[in-house]
Amino acid sequence: LATGPRQNNGIFYEIRTYDIKPAKMKEFLEMVNKYFHFRTAHSELVGFWYSELGAMNKVLHIWKYDNFAHRTAVRHALANDKDWQGKFISAALPLIEKQHNEVAYLVPWCQLGKPSKEGGVYEWVTFQMKPGGPALWGEAFRAAINAHINTGYTKLIGVFHTEYGLLNTVHVLWWNESPDQRAAGRHSAHEDARVVAAVRDSVRFLESQQNVLLIPLQCSPLK
């Protein structure tokens, strides 16, 4: 009841979220920027961020895989990479309190985007939808996303629908020039009758929603 239409290929995205010990966040981020080239030598990193608002002491990174065999091969290679294991993993694991991962596909009507320029902020919005998958709520959800895009105040980067993890979950990644630009745009959108109508239709299928403001790391391809 949770899976549904996706891109017409085997590509998927692994979304990894780590809770970092509060006193160790600065140390962890410094290690990532210093040693993460050992990890990205094995597979494509989409983006790496730390949370600024909406959650604390969290990092989120997204990896792209051609298929599950590709991921298996990468994980095997990482386990045997002495630089990765010795310089990063062995030192980083004591700094991490909890790890969580999900496998998600881009929805079929979305291509992975890029920000208009470097230096902005990202918003990670997680929607927990009613059971039934996109066959139930897909069109209404798409209309709500498009209504926000049409206001022009924000840029859509990607819409991800979970395949493994908590099902009927949709993650939407937005980019804005600054938190203030995002706030002003949201204010305008709330007064736009088209946005209000689209959102009112889509929330019939919504169970919960969470927003997190993210800041990209130096090593992140999406900056």
Side-chain angles (χ1 to χ4, degrees), residues 6-210:
R6 56 181 175 84
Q7 301 286 325
N8 190 28
N9 52 47
I11 292 174
F12 67 85
Y13 298 84
E14 183 175 7
I15 302 164
R16 300 180 71 93
T17 306
Y18 299 167
D19 287 16
I20 310 301
K21 294 179 180 179
K24 300 296 184 180
M25 190 65 168
K26 182 175 183 293
E27 181 181 350
F28 181 85
L29 296 180
E30 289 174 348
M31 288 183 56
V32 170
N33 283 319
K34 184 176 182 180
Y35 294 119
F36 227 59
H37 61 282
F38 294 125
R39 175 62 184 85
T40 54
H42 291 277
S43 65
E44 181 179 348
L45 174 66
V46 174
F48 200 125
W49 304 265
Y50 66 88
S51 61
E52 179 71 11
L53 296 171
M56 296 183 68
N57 302 303
K58 287 184 181 288
V59 297
L60 183 148
H61 38 124
I62 303 175
W63 299 90
K64 181 180 178 181
Y65 292 104
D66 296 334
N67 48 48
F68 287 97
H70 179 208
R71 181 184 184 276
T72 298
V74 169
R75 301 302 296 178
H76 179 77
L78 288 170
N80 291 282
D81 186 324
K82 293 181 180 179
D83 283 330
W84 173 243
Q85 294 295 329
K87 294 180 180 179
F88 183 81
I89 292 296
S90 60
L93 284 180
L95 312 182
I96 300 172
E97 289 191 327
K98 186 169 60 175
Q99 295 174 296
H100 176 71
N101 78 330
E102 298 169 286
V103 165
Y105 294 102
L106 283 174
V107 296
W109 43 269
C110 173
Q111 297 296 320
L112 195 62
K114 293 184 178 181
S116 303
K117 59 182 180 180
E118 292 187 2
V121 296
Y122 292 79
E123 184 179 8
W124 182 253
V125 190
T126 299
F127 299 90
Q128 187 60 40
M129 308 301 291
K130 292 183 182 297
L136 175 66
W137 41 258
E139 288 304 314
F141 189 87
R142 180 180 182 179
I145 294 297
N146 285 336
H148 283 85
I149 294 172
N150 292 338
T151 63
Y153 82 89
T154 187
K155 180 172 179 58
L156 178 67
I157 303 299
V159 180
F160 304 88
H161 177 221
T162 56
E163 182 78 7
Y164 287 97
L166 185 60
L167 299 182
N168 292 293
T169 301
V170 184
H171 300 291
V172 183
L173 183 61
W174 301 95
W175 177 87
N176 287 281
E177 291 187 11
S178 69
D180 286 321
Q181 187 253 354
R182 184 259 182 198
R186 292 284 290 177
H187 180 75
S188 297
H190 290 162
E191 297 180 345
D192 188 315
R194 296 165 300 176
V195 176
V196 172
V199 170
R200 182 181 293 122
D201 187 44
S202 68
V203 296
R204 296 182 293 121
F205 307 107
L206 182 65
E207 297 281 2
S208 65
Q209 178 180 342
Q210 182 179 16

